[in-house]
Amino acid sequence: MTQVSQVALDGAALRNWMRVSQDALARRRAEIDALNVYPVPDGDTGTNMYLTIEAAAAAAMEVSNPASVPGPTAEALARGALLGARGNSGVILSQLLRGMADVISST
């Protein structure tokens, strides 16, 4: 039987993950913008996703005591993403973060 190691997840780790994700998206933003995204090839998908992640990260930074349980930080990420969502891609991304927050908050 394979032993699975467990890693503690806290709000600080979620903040760090969001910063790393934001940086990675920033590097690929123009490439994503250049994609012909169906059904509306509008050329701003990467920018919309970046602005959504930026809003989520800003909301997560407002959570006090992020080293405690991850639920409040995950909830802030989801809410910040929804309120800051840009375009369809941003709304979809915010829903992914909402799903993550729901799972994290229920554990």
Side-chain angles (χ1 to χ4, degrees), residues 19-32 46 50 53:
R19 278 192 299 270
V20 169
S21 298
Q22 184 179 4
D23 291 345
L25 188 53
R27 287 190 304 273
R28 306 300 291 265
R29 181 174 164 179
E31 181 181 348
I32 297 169
Y50 178 81
I53 289 293

Side-chain angles (χ1 to χ4, degrees), residues 37-60:
V37 180
Y38 178 83
V40 181
D42 51 13
D44 63 357
T45 300
T47 297
N48 287 340
M49 291 174 70
Y50 178 81
L51 293 172
T52 302
I53 289 293
E54 185 176 55

Side-chain angles (χ1 to χ4, degrees), residues 24 30 34-36 47 63-65 74 79 83 89 91:
L35 295 173
N36 186 9
T47 297
V63 174
S64 60
N65 193 16
R79 181 165 171 72
L83 294 176
S89 57
V91 172

Side-chain angles (χ1 to χ4, degrees), residues 61-88:
M61 295 308 291
E62 295 177 7
V63 174
S64 60
N65 193 16
S68 66
V69 295
T73 302
E75 289 293 328
L77 286 170
R79 181 165 171 72
L82 180 60
L83 294 176
R86 301 291 190 272
N88 291 332

